[in-house]
Amino acid sequence: MRNIKFFDTTLRDGEQSAGVNLNLQEKLEIARQLERLRVDIIEAGFPASSKGDFAAVKQIAETIRTCSVTGLSRSVRSDIDAAWEALKGGAEPRLHLFIATSPIHMVHKLRMTPEQVIDAAVEAVKYAKRFFPIVQWSAEDACRSERPFLAKIVAEVIKAGASVINIPDTVGYITPKEYGEIFLYLQNNVPNIEKVSLSAHCHDDLGMAVVNSLAAIEHGATQVECTINGIGERAGNAALEEIAVALHIRKDYYQVETRLNLQEIKRTSNLVSKLTGVVVPPNKAVVGKNAFAHESGIHQDGVLKEKTTYEIISPELVGVPSNSMVLGKHSGRHALRNRVEELGYTLSEEEINQLFVRFKELADKKKDITDDDLVALIFEEKFDHFNEFYQLSSIQVQYGTNQIPTAVVVLKDGKGNEIQEAATGAGSVEALYNTLERCFQTAVTLLDYRIESVGGGRDALAQVFVKVRVNDVETSGRGTAQDVLEASAKAYIHAMNRAVMIEAMRGENEKVATT
Ligand SMILES: [Zn+2]
């Protein structure tokens, strides 16, 4: 059986989703989880695009030992140099070079002739090969490129030393049949094609990213590029979990193998959704909340008698927990640590101690502490206070049906100053956010506000997600507390802290790549 490699680009293409900005700590946690999922390659970012991306790619390359870590690079020496600096500490450094090959892109974006594009591509691959053992080359907008030209440039970059050729459907335009034909065309028209492996990279603008990726596999591709939950530019990328489970469940048809550990799928999906703030729709294949729920009476009856009557995927296959363990007031540090490890999180001794304090506080107010509660606490401990500039000291909000809602907030900033402000609003949350905006002394536009409870029960934790724009930075934040107003304040401050960090880490080329 052929082996299919999974190239995960959640941290590069996925992170290009509108409003998604992950910090270093969050990217590292996702990379660790991808390693547990046993993807083959992790695309950790675009090192030349910003200081933040560079630092994250470097740290991930130095941390991850059992996957190849790669970074994106334009076909220019300065990008390749930055990528090498970031990736050289990796277990298997790999460069992902790209250049556009479609007439539209060559004329309007690159302003280069086809011959100049070939020269630039060849020169970049040769230069990259001086450093990198593995160079992957991508033809941006390959699917709208002229096939003879595509074959010609692919032959040239293989000669120059590329060992993986990626054929992205950058704009999500292709159909499965046509995509398969491009792979066949290259295999029939590029003389040295057997020296390389072929890779698919699909976008979901027409809802065909997964099926296009599968078509590529059927027509000779041995690598697929995808993201967890299908997040990414515009309508997103091909969803890793859907391709992986399709290949597994229909092994009889596809006749291929992967090295993935499918049982880590659900956990990876949850982690990415929580950290990016991108919600998984309940009806989403494989990882949606309802993916394994049988509602109709006839179906329920069938499943009770024999699971396989209506269930082709078992929840256990993708690691959906069957029983959720509950901790309580009397659970000790040891039980807590065990559970945290079982949930797949790596916490330092100090973080465990902090978490234990928070856990005890919560256990005083809430009878059962579920896995979801614990994950919410871990997030607060590990990610939400990472590198924060503003810290919440206290809030006070007054609300009455015949009163003007008023809020008072005390914050500490990164320079040790105490900031105290008060303001009113039409509602409690507005009063709170008006007050916080005064504290920040910057106009903040609230683009989205979402509140949900962590599990059921009147004593459940509240979790608030916000999306904001600060100057020209769009970012998100989350906050968890038993009180909805406190959770709201924390989410807003979290988003503001991210905005401060993004501003500080900015480079000139922020988010310029679209491959
Ligand atoms: Zn892409």
Side-chain angles (χ1 to χ4, degrees), residues 13 201 203 237 514-515:
D13 222 343
H201 177 115
H203 280 268
N237 289 58
T514 55
T515 294

Side-chain angles (χ1 to χ4, degrees), residues 24 49-53 55 500-507 510:
L24 182 78
S49 71
S50 69
K51 278 191 271 178
D53 248 33
V500 170
M501 191 149 74
I502 292 164
E503 291 273 6
M505 291 292 235
R506 237 172 195 197
E510 187 90 11

Side-chain angles (χ1 to χ4, degrees), residues 9 12-13 16 168-170 201-203 225 233 237 514-515:
T9 183
R12 204 276 301 166
D13 222 343
Q16 281 176 217
D169 180 23
T170 305
H201 177 115
C202 299
H203 280 268
E225 303 196 1
E233 281 282 354
N237 289 58
T514 55
T515 294

Side-chain angles (χ1 to χ4, degrees), residues 18 31 39 47 85 108 191 219 224 242 267 285 297 331-332 336 405 446 452 456 468-469 483 503 508:
V39 303
E85 277 311 305
H108 298 289
H219 291 90
V224 278
E242 294 182 21
R267 183 182 291 168
S331 307
L336 178 73
L446 184 65
E452 56 189 43
V468 300
R469 189 184 306 116
D483 182 83
E503 291 273 6
E508 306 104 57

